[in-house]
């Protein structure tokens, strides 16, 4: 039954339909794009969060959306969320463990 569900999901997925036709181009390095923007402590919500790119989905979603837009403008078909190290363990290094769900949810919601 599991294989049946997977096949049905593939048939209804625009992603899989496009992948059947051609190679899809993914975005590049999110971290590199963010570093080039010279963001400071206030962008991250305070010095204690500086370097935690994932918190930017809460404090500067406009920056994340701008990175996504730039990748789409250069011809990418797919962009990834800004949640590379959005695990509870990693976010706890910044005292943000309790915001794990919120951060990952918001990362997925940014166009």
């Amino acid at each position: 039954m599991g294989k049946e569900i997977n096949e049905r999901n593939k048939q209804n997925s625009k992603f899989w339909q496009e992948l059947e036709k051609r190679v899809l181009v993914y975005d590049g390095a999110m971290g590199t794009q963010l570093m080039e923007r010279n963001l400071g402590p206030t962008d991250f919500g305070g010095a204690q969060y500086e370097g935690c790119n994932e918190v930017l989905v809460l404090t500067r979603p406009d920056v994340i959306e701008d990175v996504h837009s730039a990748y789409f403008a250069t011809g990418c078909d797919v962009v990834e969320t800004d949640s590379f190290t959005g695990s509870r363990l990693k976010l706890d290094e910044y005292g943000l463990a309790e915001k794990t769900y919120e951060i990952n949810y918001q990362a997925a919601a940014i166009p």
Side-chain angles (χ1 to χ4, degrees):
M1 182 169 179
K3 187 175 181 179
E4 219 173 85
I5 292 171
N6 276 343
E7 288 304 317
R8 197 169 348 130
N9 287 343
K10 278 182 166 182
Q11 291 171 354
N12 294 328
S13 166
K14 184 175 180 185
F15 173 81
W16 283 104
Q17 290 170 6
E18 287 300 311
L19 193 56
E20 297 255 338
K21 295 180 208 169
R22 63 191 178 91
V23 173
L24 298 178
V25 178
Y26 273 77
D27 64 1
M30 173 68 77
T32 302
Q33 292 298 318
L34 294 174
M35 286 177 63
E36 288 182 358
R37 284 166 168 72
N38 297 315
L39 302 171
T42 46
D43 295 300
F44 289 91
Q48 69 274 27
Y49 305 124
E50 193 169 10
C52 181
N53 290 338
E54 290 70 26
V55 79
L56 293 170
V57 304
L58 302 178
T59 61
R60 292 295 310 272
D62 59 307
V63 172
I64 305 304
E65 187 173 351
D66 184 56
V67 171
H68 289 175
S69 295
Y71 277 122
F72 284 132
T74 60
C76 288
D77 298 300
V78 181
V79 296
E80 297 178 12
T81 63
D82 179 32
S83 59
F84 183 72
T85 57
S87 70
R88 185 172 187 80
L89 183 65
K90 186 65 177 174
L91 291 172
D92 194 40
E93 293 178 15
Y94 293 94
L96 295 169
E98 75 285 347
K99 292 188 176 263
T100 301
Y101 178 85
E102 180 184 2
I103 287 171
N104 283 284
Y105 183 90
Q106 182 62 22
I110 295 174

